[in-house]
Amino acid sequence: MHTHQHDEVQAASEREVWPAVWKGWRRRCPKCGSGPLLSGYLKVRDHCPVCREDLHHHRADDGPAYLTILLVGHLMAPLLHITFTTFRPEPLTLFTIFSVGCVGLSLYLLPRLKGAIVGFQWARGMHGFASSG
């Protein structure tokens, strides 16, 4: 390994993980925290418009969707059970409330979890992030 590559890997390993994940959760650049991370609902920008950090290295893939399903399922299933056993609402009312809740929570969490995963990958120097800024 060349010394230049070693310095880049070392610089990436010194990045703090939780601040980068928090910046990603807020859908901001994991490096500067002020530039927008996403150019649409889920499209990650190729680079930060503020600090010019390359962001195209990310490999979030299906991770945000799996985490969203995990969180929404683990939150809504017990709530559904508690609501049904305690209040016994009409089935259509129960379905309407929980389907809107599941869709709404999923739409809220998906871009935030994607940002958090990109921030985590950036902080750990994964998938080419080690050689950037």
Side-chain angles (χ1 to χ4, degrees):
M1 181 180 268
H2 302 304
T3 42
H4 181 65
Q5 288 176 338
H6 179 71
D7 292 340
E8 290 171 347
V9 171
Q10 186 177 2
S13 66
E14 292 172 0
R15 297 173 181 165
E16 292 188 38
V17 174
W18 289 113
V21 169
W22 176 243
K23 290 172 189 173
W25 173 266
R26 292 182 3 239
R27 295 165 298 161
R28 297 290 172 205
C29 170
K31 183 177 181 182
C32 69
S34 59
L37 180 66
L38 305 175
S39 63
Y41 180 64
L42 289 175
K43 174 89 171 95
V44 178
R45 294 177 183 271
D46 287 336
H47 61 273
C48 175
V50 176
C51 70
R52 309 300 292 171
E53 177 73 9
D54 283 331
L55 301 170
H56 62 85
H57 302 294
H58 80 89
R59 296 290 175 265
D61 300 331
D62 292 336
Y66 288 126
L67 287 176
T68 299
I69 292 167
L70 181 79
L71 292 173
V72 171
H74 279 81
L75 183 66
M76 290 301 202
L79 284 175
L80 179 64
H81 177 72
I82 291 167
T83 303
F84 181 74
T85 56
T86 305
F87 303 109
R88 295 284 178 179
E90 290 294 317
L92 191 57
T93 305
L94 191 67
F95 168 76
T96 303
I97 290 169
F98 276 88
S99 61
V100 168
C102 286
V103 169
L105 189 58
S106 296
L107 291 174
Y108 175 80
L109 288 175
L110 195 54
R112 285 159 179 83
L113 289 171
K114 183 162 189 171
I117 288 175
V118 171
F120 180 81
Q121 290 176 354
W122 176 85
R124 289 293 175 100
M126 300 166 73
H127 309 296
F129 279 122
S131 61
S132 66

